[in-house]
Amino acid sequence: MAGLHGSSSSRPLISTSSSHPHQQRFTSRLLFLLTLLPLTLAAFAFVLQWRGGGVGVGDGFLIADPVARWSHYHHHLPGMDIDSSLLPATTTVRSSSSSSTSSGGCADILGRSNSLSFSYFKDWKFDYGADLKPKICITASTSAGLEQTIPWIFYHKVIGVSNFFLFVEGKAASPAVSKVFESIPGVKVIYRTRELEEQQAKSRIWNETWLSSFFYKPCNYELFVKQSLNMEMAIVMARDAGMDWIIHLDTDELIHPAGAREYSLRQLLSDVPSNVDMVVFPNYESCIERDDIKEPFSEVSMFKKNYDHLPKDVYFGNYREAARNNPNYFLTYGNGKAAARVQDHLRPNGAHRWHNYMKNPMPCLGSYVAPAAQTNLFGEKWREERRNIEIDCGSNILGEKKKEITELRAVVTNKNMDYPSGEIKMDDAAVLHYTYTKFSDLTSRRDRCGCKPTKEDVRRCFMLEFDRAAFIIASTATEDEMLNWYREHVVWADKTLKKKLMMKGILTRIYAPMIINQGLRESGIYASVIASANTMLSKDKILSSVESRNNTRESKSVNSSRKIGGFGQSQATARRVLEFIDDANYTLAIPPESPPGPDDLNIDT
């Protein structure tokens, strides 16, 4: 028995001793795997970096940041300049200025480079489905070419715009350009044909007083009337296409949907209360830092903020330094652009606003902030530090009595009052206006107007002071004199002033449009859409478009604001113009307006 118990008691010891080496082997293997895994990942990362170029010097080139490789010109974002004194003597730094200078034509501007690109974007036409809401469209009247309009279209497609109504003439109406527009899904091209002008001559606008002060005047006034007539037709097209919102923009303007949960105009407008009919986007103005800009959407990142997005003491306290001896704070307009809900009885109210025939303009009860920060009352956003508000967003901000935001909240919190309808003004989102960004803009604007370069005549042709001064310089000065004037009045070269105004919040850097545009170009979308345009349009359609445009050149305009009542016009049309409807309820068209100046400081605070 003792032997039996002794033998049985020794078995666990033998089993334990035999399992100990097994545990050691398992532990050693586990440690080996844990050691090998990070080493393998590190080696794999090194191989990828070596093959892709990485960050550093490779093949004689220095790439400071992967974002810089998105651009065909390899632009560095401001603040990313490379000090060549720190590089080896054999190292070559890619120069954005030299690349841009050597480039020329649409093939270079809209083409691809040989560096890495987002190949999965190729042939992506952003053809949104009907299930995406809200559906947003943009209407524009343009004569610009592909190098400006193609990036403009696809940028807005990225942020959620599905349809475009382009009223084209000049270069934009040429077969080589217009057929590319027509090949892009969601883009409808409307040519300035005889039929279009006859149709617009029958518009009710000619019988109404709200736009009558712009009739019979040349240049900017004529363009303003033409834009309003085109906007009226675009409303009908937008309604037929099932659009929810319509925006009028020029092709040198980009919507900047800041403040939304995503960088999305669709997200921004989907959060707007259902009983708000119009959303006003204050405009920011581009501030170029060189005089050799070739492609503004990819090369300009500095903007001057709108009065509506600045504290009043900061705006007026730095007004003269920000204006830089120019007539106004902005070179051109400062009253923004607007988006309107597509609904019955909608009409344009000039190029900057919309109006409804059946609704009186409602008070604008403050600035709207897209849901991202603090939420207040009815689930809508109100900026806490906003000090005062406009009574009427449809007029100049300084032309109306102000109220304190606390008074507004006291009214809104009344349980018997619904959320106010009418207009709201965005407190973060803006329209980025790329104005006079290229030196050639001086002469191109001059060539579109036949006015005399005198102070008296330019007042008849242009609404804004800077446009008048620029036209006179472009018409009377030599090339060198024009360039010196351009550098003095448009180019921001003073680094000290830029730093000061940047710290004050008057100047700001906005990179999103630049990066989106560079990424789209590098992906090959621009080159792809141009190459595929030849195969997407049938030969009969091209011939039909050419024949239609030839007929337009042979015919006279019948509804130009300068020609109404003149020769070659029917008596019926002239009679319709004279039979104005005197309706006090009509809101007068809002023209481009300069921002408030120091003389406007005597307002109630």
Side-chain angles (χ1 to χ4, degrees), residues 290-308:
R290 309 193 324 266
D291 59 16
D292 61 346
I293 298 293
K294 300 298 181 184
E295 190 184 351
F297 296 155
S298 292
E299 300 180 57
V300 178
S301 66
M302 190 169 72
F303 295 86
K304 191 186 297 183
K305 286 186 177 180
N306 193 284
Y307 170 90
D308 290 320

Side-chain angles (χ1 to χ4, degrees), residues 323-362:
R324 298 193 316 142
N325 297 320
N326 286 315
N328 295 292
Y329 174 78
F330 279 162
L331 299 182
T332 53
Y333 75 89
N335 53 335
K337 290 293 182 73
R341 289 191 188 275
V342 178
Q343 53 187 313
D344 293 338
H345 313 295
L346 182 67
R347 72 156 169 86
N349 197 30
H352 295 258
R353 294 293 188 274
W354 306 86
H355 180 64
N356 194 298
Y357 281 110
M358 303 304 292
K359 296 182 181 180
N360 289 325
M362 297 295 292

Side-chain angles (χ1 to χ4, degrees), residues 35-282:
T35 304
L36 182 62
L37 181 61
L39 292 176
T40 304
L41 292 177
F44 182 65
F46 174 79
V47 172
L48 289 180
Q49 184 181 14
W50 175 73
R51 294 190 63 183
V55 179
V57 179
D59 298 329
F61 292 95
L62 181 69
I63 301 177
D65 190 280
V67 174
R69 297 163 61 182
W70 294 7
S71 170
H72 179 62
Y73 305 117
H74 301 280
H75 294 136
H76 297 288
L77 298 181
M80 295 171 56
D81 295 333
I82 302 169
D83 189 353
S84 58
S85 63
L86 302 177
L87 302 178
T90 57
T91 302
T92 303
V93 179
R94 287 180 179 175
S95 172
S96 61
S97 60
S98 62
S99 299
S100 60
T101 304
S102 62
S103 62
C106 296
D108 293 332
I109 294 177
L110 301 176
R112 290 180 294 167
S113 70
N114 293 324
S115 61
L116 296 181
S117 65
F118 303 102
S119 58
Y120 49 84
F121 278 147
K122 187 177 181 181
D123 296 322
W124 187 11
K125 299 296 183 62
F126 298 90
D127 192 7
Y128 294 116
D131 56 331
L132 296 178
K133 292 289 184 178
K135 298 189 71 175
I136 307 168
C137 67
I138 290 178
T139 179
S141 304
T142 182
S143 59
L146 294 177
E147 70 281 355
Q148 177 173 320
T149 310
I150 291 295
W152 177 83
I153 290 173
F154 278 95
Y155 168 83
H156 286 107
K157 278 181 170 285
V158 167
I159 64 173
V161 178
S162 57
N163 289 65
F164 298 81
F165 303 111
L166 300 183
F167 292 81
V168 298
E169 52 186 295
K171 185 177 181 181
S174 64
V177 175
S178 60
K179 70 178 181 180
V180 177
F181 295 156
E182 292 176 344
S183 70
I184 303 174
V187 176
K188 180 177 178 61
V189 179
I190 303 96
Y191 299 97
R192 192 141 202 91
T193 61
R194 180 185 182 91
E195 292 74 21
L196 176 71
E197 294 182 337
E198 289 177 347
Q199 183 178 355
Q200 291 185 341
K202 301 174 183 178
S203 169
R204 63 183 294 180
I205 289 178
W206 299 109
N207 297 345
E208 299 167 352
T209 58
W210 60 271
L211 193 63
S212 59
S213 62
F214 297 89
F215 297 161
Y216 316 112
K217 296 180 181 179
C219 298
N220 277 14
Y221 292 89
E222 183 178 6
L223 175 62
F224 194 73
V225 173
K226 187 183 296 183
Q227 287 176 328
S228 298
L229 292 168
N230 292 343
M231 291 167 68
E232 183 186 45
M233 297 189 69
I235 292 171
V236 178
M237 298 175 188
R239 187 171 60 243
D240 294 342
M243 297 290 109
D244 299 303
W245 290 90
I246 184 171
I247 307 172
H248 173 260
L249 289 180
D250 296 325
T251 52
D252 61 352
E253 297 170 330
L254 301 178
I255 294 286
H256 175 53
R261 289 189 294 271
E262 305 168 1
Y263 194 77
S264 167
L265 181 60
R266 178 181 287 113
Q267 181 67 57
L268 198 68
L269 293 180
S270 66
D271 293 326
V272 173
S274 60
N275 51 358
V276 172
D277 296 329
M278 187 168 73
V279 176
V280 178
F281 294 88

Side-chain angles (χ1 to χ4, degrees), residues 341-504:
R341 289 191 188 275
V342 178
Q343 53 187 313
D344 293 338
H345 313 295
L346 182 67
R347 72 156 169 86
N349 197 30
H352 295 258
R353 294 293 188 274
W354 306 86
H355 180 64
N356 194 298
Y357 281 110
M358 303 304 292
K359 296 182 181 180
N360 289 325
M362 297 295 292
C364 173
L365 298 181
S367 296
Y368 178 78
V369 185
Q374 58 274 63
T375 302
N376 184 24
L377 300 177
F378 307 102
E380 311 309 338
K381 293 284 192 122
W382 299 88
R383 184 184 287 275
E384 293 293 340
E385 62 268 24
R386 187 80 176 179
R387 296 168 310 289
N388 45 39
I389 57 166
E390 299 181 53
I391 296 302
D392 185 0
C393 282
S395 60
N396 192 307
I397 186 172
L398 296 177
E400 299 290 346
K401 180 78 173 175
K402 302 289 184 87
K403 283 187 177 180
E404 293 297 326
I405 195 73
T406 54
E407 297 178 12
L408 169 67
R409 292 196 177 106
V411 174
V412 176
T413 51
N414 186 340
K415 295 181 179 179
N416 296 325
M417 179 181 177
D418 294 331
Y419 184 86
S421 62
E423 308 170 7
I424 57 176
K425 183 170 289 186
M426 286 293 174
D427 220 12
D428 290 304
V431 168
L432 305 181
H433 186 200
Y434 295 76
T435 185
Y436 288 98
T437 49
K438 295 186 290 186
F439 176 63
S440 59
D441 289 343
L442 286 178
T443 54
S444 63
R445 292 171 186 246
R446 174 201 65 192
D447 296 340
R448 292 196 299 264
C449 183
C451 290
K452 298 177 182 179
T454 62
K455 291 184 178 180
E456 295 76 17
D457 208 42
V458 293
R459 288 186 176 275
R460 187 174 61 90
C461 300
F462 298 96
M463 304 179 197
L464 300 173
E465 286 293 333
F466 188 85
D467 288 334
R468 297 167 183 170
F471 180 81
I472 292 176
I473 287 294
S475 303
T476 59
T478 64
E479 185 82 9
D480 291 338
E481 291 172 340
M482 287 172 54
L483 184 58
N484 291 333
W485 185 90
Y486 184 76
R487 289 170 175 169
E488 179 183 354
H489 291 272
V490 182
V491 180
W492 288 71
D494 189 338
K495 294 183 178 180
T496 303
L497 179 60
K498 287 190 294 184
K499 183 177 180 180
K500 176 183 178 180
L501 296 182
M502 197 79 70
M503 294 178 66
K504 293 285 186 179

